[in-house]
Amino acid sequence: GGLLQSFDAFVCERVLPELKRRLAACGALPNEHEPVRFWYQRPPTLRLQPGPSTRFVRAHADADYGHQHGELNFWMPLTCQSRTKTTIWLESEAGAGDYSPLDIAVGQCAMFHGTSRRHHVPANPTSSTRTSIDFRVGVEGYFDPGWSMKGTRADHSRREARL
């Protein structure tokens, strides 16, 4: 299989079961055993940030770009932070303004609520390119796959999965 088939397997076999378990544990789902539909962004977004550069991603919440509150963000670094001296920075909670770097290793995947928590990426001061992939997952009961914010267009395709 190719890259997208590997991505599908990662999402359906690792990400969604863990997300479902966490949602049931916090009471957002009735239980872990009832089927739930998810919509995941496919393909994921590949982010390349060459350096050295003064360019950066400004602080924003994904709601600014028409994303729904029923979506969760997943972010995976593909280059080591020690090599590029930069990573994504997140608020601890919506509106806190207390940004801190997301310190995860290559091979790990972080989940956060990017619709409400502002996040940004500082400039890359090194000669290495910062590379990451990210994607969003919508959860049945919290996400409307047919909705679009007025004045925006859906720029991510999605695939439905039922677990």
Side-chain angles (χ1 to χ4, degrees), residues 47 60-68 71 73 112-119 134 136 149:
R47 308 223 184 243
H60 67 281
D62 290 351
D64 300 342
Y65 300 105
H67 289 281
Q68 299 176 51
E71 290 178 292
N73 295 51
F112 64 97
H113 194 245
T115 307
S116 63
R117 288 173 64 190
R118 289 178 297 180
H119 47 285
D134 60 80
R136 292 167 188 84
M149 184 169 86

Side-chain angles (χ1 to χ4, degrees), residues 30 34 37 40-41 45 51 61 67 71 73 78 92-93 98 101-102 110 115 132 140 143 148 150 157:
E34 303 256 342
R37 289 187 303 168
Y40 65 94
Q41 178 186 328
T45 301
H67 289 281
E71 290 178 292
N73 295 51
L78 300 178
S92 63
E93 60 184 54
D98 60 345
L102 185 56
T115 307
S132 62
E140 182 176 21
F143 176 79
S148 181
K150 187 175 182 175
S157 58

Side-chain angles (χ1 to χ4, degrees), residues 46-49 75-79 84 129-133:
L46 174 65
R47 308 223 184 243
L48 303 172
Q49 186 183 18
W75 183 81
M76 296 176 58
L78 300 178
T79 50
T84 62
T129 297
R130 184 191 68 82
T131 308
S132 62
I133 65 169

Side-chain angles (χ1 to χ4, degrees), residues 3-139:
L3 178 63
L4 285 178
Q5 289 82 6
S6 296
F7 174 71
D8 292 338
F10 170 69
V11 170
C12 292
E13 295 169 15
R14 303 293 303 257
V15 172
L16 297 182
E18 177 63 13
L19 175 57
K20 183 177 180 183
R21 185 192 67 74
R22 287 183 181 197
L23 291 169
C26 75
L29 295 177
N31 65 60
E32 233 180 299
H33 309 292
E34 303 256 342
V36 177
R37 289 187 303 168
F38 296 94
W39 293 267
Y40 65 94
Q41 178 186 328
R42 184 183 192 271
T45 301
L46 174 65
R47 308 223 184 243
L48 303 172
Q49 186 183 18
S53 175
T54 57
R55 297 189 60 139
F56 61 93
V57 175
R58 71 169 184 83
H60 67 281
D62 290 351
D64 300 342
Y65 300 105
H67 289 281
Q68 299 176 51
H69 285 280
E71 290 178 292
L72 292 166
N73 295 51
F74 292 83
W75 183 81
M76 296 176 58
L78 300 178
T79 50
C80 185
Q81 181 180 345
S82 65
R83 186 172 186 164
T84 62
K85 309 295 184 227
T86 192
T87 186
I88 193 169
W89 287 58
L90 305 169
E91 293 180 299
S92 63
E93 60 184 54
D98 60 345
Y99 299 96
S100 60
L102 185 56
D103 187 21
I104 65 170
V106 173
Q108 293 180 312
C109 184
M111 174 179 67
F112 64 97
H113 194 245
T115 307
S116 63
R117 288 173 64 190
R118 289 178 297 180
H119 47 285
H120 69 93
V121 178
N124 178 357
T126 72
S127 60
S128 297
T129 297
R130 184 191 68 82
T131 308
S132 62
I133 65 169
D134 60 80
F135 58 96
R136 292 167 188 84
V137 174
V139 180

